Amino acid sequence: MSIPPGKILACVNGVIGPAEHATVSVLDRGHVFGDGIYEVVRVDKGRLHGMDRHWRRLDRSLRALQMPAVDLNLLRSQVEATLAASGHTDATIYLQVTRGTAPRAHAFPADTPANTLILVQHFPDDKAHLREKGAGVITHPDLRWARCDIKSINLLGSVLAAEAAKRAGCVEAVLIREDGVVTECAHSSLFAVVDGVLRTHPLDPRILPGITREIVLELAADLGIPCRQKALRSDELRGVDELFLTSTTSRVLPLVELDGKPVGNGKPGPVTCSLRDAFTAWEKADALKTPSSNALNAGEL
Ligand code: PLP
């Protein structure tokens, strides 16, 4: 099976078929409670980027929410089979696990297996030009819950912020808590450069431990860029020298406008550009590794 670029291929509990014909029960707990977790992995020329890190985070989310046991090796083989069946080489893989199908009641159902969903979709990378020239963002209240470190499918706070950004003609929304702490973006991690020091929110329950964030911090250390994992406050945000976001789909994206005003001199800054380029080099090096490096190593979880 090979599907046209516009079509999405689904794998529901191991059964592969076109997404428009795939079904889950209306009693799926993901559907009625948002009781599930997910991952998004980017496939570049047939290679799944950072897969070992994504498996680790998926496993962490499953444990944090005491989800039913999931055979991650089976899931991995289903991811590979669905990707192969799609025929796509540049794609995103959406991977979701919910607490299964059961009559609606808030507390966990007994003896209920998880439901798994894999979606493979062509990914054209339409942000390449923005990685060169930079993009605009708005600020938005952080309306999310107290466990943003879990990659839960409950995304209403992010959905509302992303919609506000879209209406403002921006790529993202920078989220600010009621106490003035800048956390991250609706669907990306956030970095700033202040007086030559890279700043980002520390890992805690207020932010998602982004895979791209983790890699960028490793690259910054390699490049000798001083880094402080300390949250910015909203009043500091206006005066930063550089700003950029990171995510699996956007990679390292310079931010040159904040609420309609230029960030720094309104152009991608030098620290941002060196990290963006180092990330591109990291991806190239990662792609040269043998495909088996994507394999799920139980010992790594
Ligand atoms: N922060 C949030 C809230 C996200 O939803 C995402 C991605 O979905 C990220 C950060 C970036 O994470 P990653 O680099 O793992 O894609």
Side-chain angles (χ1 to χ4, degrees):
M1 190 190 315
S2 176
I3 56 166
K7 296 281 181 190
I8 303 171
L9 196 63
C11 176
V12 179
N13 291 331
V15 180
I16 299 176
E20 65 262 37
H21 299 135
T23 55
V24 289
S25 165
V26 292
L27 294 178
D28 177 272
R29 287 181 62 96
H31 180 62
V32 289
F33 290 120
D35 189 0
I37 57 101
Y38 76 106
E39 279 296 320
V40 176
V41 183
R42 186 163 46 80
V43 180
D44 196 11
K45 298 185 185 63
R47 185 181 166 81
L48 290 83
H49 271 292
M51 200 55 200
D52 49 348
R53 300 182 199 239
H54 284 284
W55 283 121
R56 270 201 293 275
R57 187 171 63 184
L58 182 99
D59 189 55
R60 180 182 180 276
S61 299
L62 289 171
R63 287 169 199 266
L65 293 179
Q66 302 164 56
M67 285 281 164
V70 175
D71 183 339
L72 293 184
N73 280 311
L74 177 65
L75 201 54
R76 189 192 104 210
S77 63
Q78 291 169 351
V79 165
E80 284 167 1
T82 314
L83 178 62
S86 77
H88 290 325
T89 49
D90 296 308
T92 53
I93 295 177
Y94 175 82
L95 190 50
Q96 174 181 291
V97 182
T98 72
R99 204 183 302 278
T101 305
R104 187 182 179 281
H106 285 66
F108 301 172
D111 305 324
T112 304
N115 284 331
T116 61
L117 168 67
I118 299 160
L119 297 173
V120 177
Q121 181 169 10
H122 175 61
F123 180 66
D125 186 22
D126 51 6
K127 295 218 177 77
H129 66 295
L130 293 180
R131 285 197 291 276
E132 285 304 315
K133 71 179 180 87
V137 283
I138 58 162
T139 52
H140 193 274
D142 191 342
L143 303 172
R144 301 172 305 160
W145 73 324
R147 289 302 306 272
C148 297
D149 56 318
I150 301 170
K151 205 162 166 61
S152 140
I153 60 174
N154 266 285
L155 290 172
L156 213 39
S158 297
V159 165
L160 295 177
E163 175 61 17
K166 187 178 161 197
R167 288 186 189 183
C170 290
V171 289
E172 254 286 20
V174 172
L175 303 179
I176 304 179
R177 286 167 46 97
E178 252 179 40
D179 59 6
V181 168
V182 178
T183 51
E184 55 181 336
C185 298
H187 44 87
S188 338
S189 310
L190 182 72
F191 287 84
V193 179
V194 182
D195 297 330
V197 178
L198 192 61
R199 285 275 296 276
T200 193
H201 195 290
L203 286 186
D204 72 11
R206 291 175 180 177
I207 65 159
L208 183 81
I211 303 290
T212 322
R213 173 191 182 279
E214 182 179 282
I215 296 164
V216 163
L217 285 173
E218 290 167 11
L219 295 171
D222 291 349
L223 292 171
I225 297 168
C227 178
R228 208 167 161 212
Q229 295 192 43
K230 179 171 186 276
L232 287 167
R233 300 196 55 83
S234 57
D235 50 341
E236 288 178 281
L237 189 59
R238 315 284 160 198
V240 300
D241 302 317
E242 301 181 33
L243 202 60
F244 65 91
L245 62 76
T246 64
S247 78
T248 294
T249 50
S250 295
R251 306 178 205 192
V252 176
L253 184 65
L255 301 174
V256 292
E257 228 180 71
L258 177 73
D259 289 332
K261 299 199 180 68
V263 175
N265 66 3
K267 298 208 172 82
V271 175
T272 303
C273 291
S274 62
L275 286 167
R276 178 199 60 197
D277 297 345
F279 188 77
T280 305
W282 175 87
E283 284 188 312
K284 284 199 180 121
D286 191 50
L288 291 176
K289 289 183 194 156
T290 57
S292 61
S293 63
N294 275 330
L296 177 60
N297 178 351
E300 284 177 353
L301 293 174

